[in-house]
Amino acid sequence: EYYALPPAERPAGVAVRPDRMFSLRGLAYRLGGYIPLREWVRPALVWSAYLFLLCGAFFAVNVIMRRKWADGDRYPMPNAKIPLGIIGAEDDDASAPFASVWRNRFLWAGFVFAMVIGGLKGWNAFNPRIPDPSVVIKLGEYVTDPAWGGMFDASLVLSLFIISIAVFFELNVLLSIVVGYWACRLVYPAGYLADFKVNAGFPWRDEQTIGAYIGYALIVLVLSRRHFAEVLKGAWKGLPRAEGEVLSSRAAVALLAFCHVGVMAWARLAGAGSGSMLLMFAFLVMVGFVAAKIRAECGTPFGYFTPYNSMLFVTLCGGMAVFGTGGQLVSLILSGFLTVTVFYLIPGMQFEMVQIGKRMRLRPWDVAGTCLLGLFGGLFIGGWVFLSNAYSIGGDNVRFQWAFNGLNWFMNSYRAELNETTAAWLRGGGAEPAGGASAWGVGMMV
């Protein structure tokens, strides 16, 4: 009856349920998850192509840096110790039926303790009369002197999840994280004393994060210049792949170059400028480079440690004047789903996979295939779950609606600058803003 209606009279978004659910059509109906799959084929393929290029560049960088970070600098890779311990890779007695970690009484005591705490917290969520065992100490309630500028407006939280990872950290790394955190927060009393806090956006957290990543990447590149020279020399001479390495130097460098060239072709397909998209792609690869190094050295068992508002990088490079309308829109979408959540855990996990494969003497293509399979699963299984929820219960009913609000917050800094520029332009009777720059130039620069 639905297909008998003229196309103009068919209700939008209708999912036709088959008469027989235990059939191929019934199976397709279930797997479809109310998603209009035909409409999503093209965008899924286009955006997946970009992610494959980006993760391919991550993989090439990790292969290039494995010998430097794992063999030379001997980074501890705390997160990698957990799967190695579970499978008994570091046990001396290979004849034991189970890995030694499963015979450790402290492990089971930790399981029981964490289960009790987690069970009580979950029970409290459904019944507030059950005590919540969470430990959260708000330091700002104890340090109230305004001269500190809000430095202690932070909470000391007991997280069993973080502690379970931190036990594998080197003590000097743990201490540097704690000292570095509080040294970073010294910007608050400095802003109070120097009266910086009167400026909108102080202490410019998102801008500082981008600057820190760019600065950190430059420092690592300078300190690793000899290693890069050896890699390029090996690629030029075509040296064979060393034993245990996933790719040879030439293959890794070629893959990295191919991904950058590929994104230029992708930009033409997406209607954006090739040069601006190459610049954005290089920035995202740089973020992955730093994220992999941090994870190899410090673990990073959580997300949200990357530049949260990557659109600031776009404005820093000139904004609309450089990226154009198409590049601006594509960069906004990329910033919205790549740098704001846990996507950048992928480069570090790739590096761990490459090192574990070397240590376990796995076949190189099995390591690369595992990383590729994980990417397929994340894209298509994760995408199916997300879209199925959105279409079945509606975007207005999804608990976390930030993915449906148009990424509005990314444009706040731009709007503030644009409003100031427009006001100055109007006060001057339509003349050029102060400094001789155009309204677009001032509005798009940070």
PDB file of all heavy atoms in Angstrom, residues 83 96 134 318 331:
ATOM      1  N   PRO A  83      47.395  -5.724  28.516  1.00  0.00           N
ATOM      2  CA  PRO A  83      47.145  -6.909  27.684  1.00  0.00           C
ATOM      3  C   PRO A  83      48.295  -7.907  27.702  1.00  0.00           C
ATOM      4  O   PRO A  83      48.065  -9.117  27.637  1.00  0.00           O
ATOM      5  CB  PRO A  83      46.918  -6.320  26.284  1.00  0.00           C
ATOM      6  CG  PRO A  83      47.531  -4.971  26.320  1.00  0.00           C
ATOM      7  CD  PRO A  83      47.356  -4.484  27.714  1.00  0.00           C
ATOM      8  N   ALA A  96      52.518 -22.850  32.411  1.00  0.00           N
ATOM      9  CA  ALA A  96      51.381 -22.635  33.310  1.00  0.00           C
ATOM     10  C   ALA A  96      50.098 -22.469  32.504  1.00  0.00           C
ATOM     11  O   ALA A  96      50.100 -21.862  31.433  1.00  0.00           O
ATOM     12  CB  ALA A  96      51.616 -21.399  34.177  1.00  0.00           C
ATOM     13  N   SER A 134      31.613   7.762  46.297  1.00  0.00           N
ATOM     14  CA  SER A 134      32.567   8.588  45.543  1.00  0.00           C
ATOM     15  C   SER A 134      33.310   9.541  46.479  1.00  0.00           C
ATOM     16  O   SER A 134      32.734  10.083  47.423  1.00  0.00           O
ATOM     17  CB  SER A 134      31.835   9.400  44.469  1.00  0.00           C
ATOM     18  OG  SER A 134      31.163   8.550  43.560  1.00  0.00           O
ATOM     19  N   GLY A 318      44.186  32.114   9.059  1.00  0.00           N
ATOM     20  CA  GLY A 318      43.597  33.093   8.162  1.00  0.00           C
ATOM     21  C   GLY A 318      42.119  32.928   7.932  1.00  0.00           C
ATOM     22  O   GLY A 318      41.492  33.786   7.308  1.00  0.00           O
ATOM     23  N   SER A 331      36.225  21.880   7.713  1.00  0.00           N
ATOM     24  CA  SER A 331      37.052  21.931   8.922  1.00  0.00           C
ATOM     25  C   SER A 331      36.187  21.976  10.173  1.00  0.00           C
ATOM     26  O   SER A 331      36.543  21.373  11.203  1.00  0.00           O
ATOM     27  CB  SER A 331      37.962  23.161   8.880  1.00  0.00           C
ATOM     28  OG  SER A 331      38.845  23.105   7.787  1.00  0.00           O
TER      29      SER A 331
END
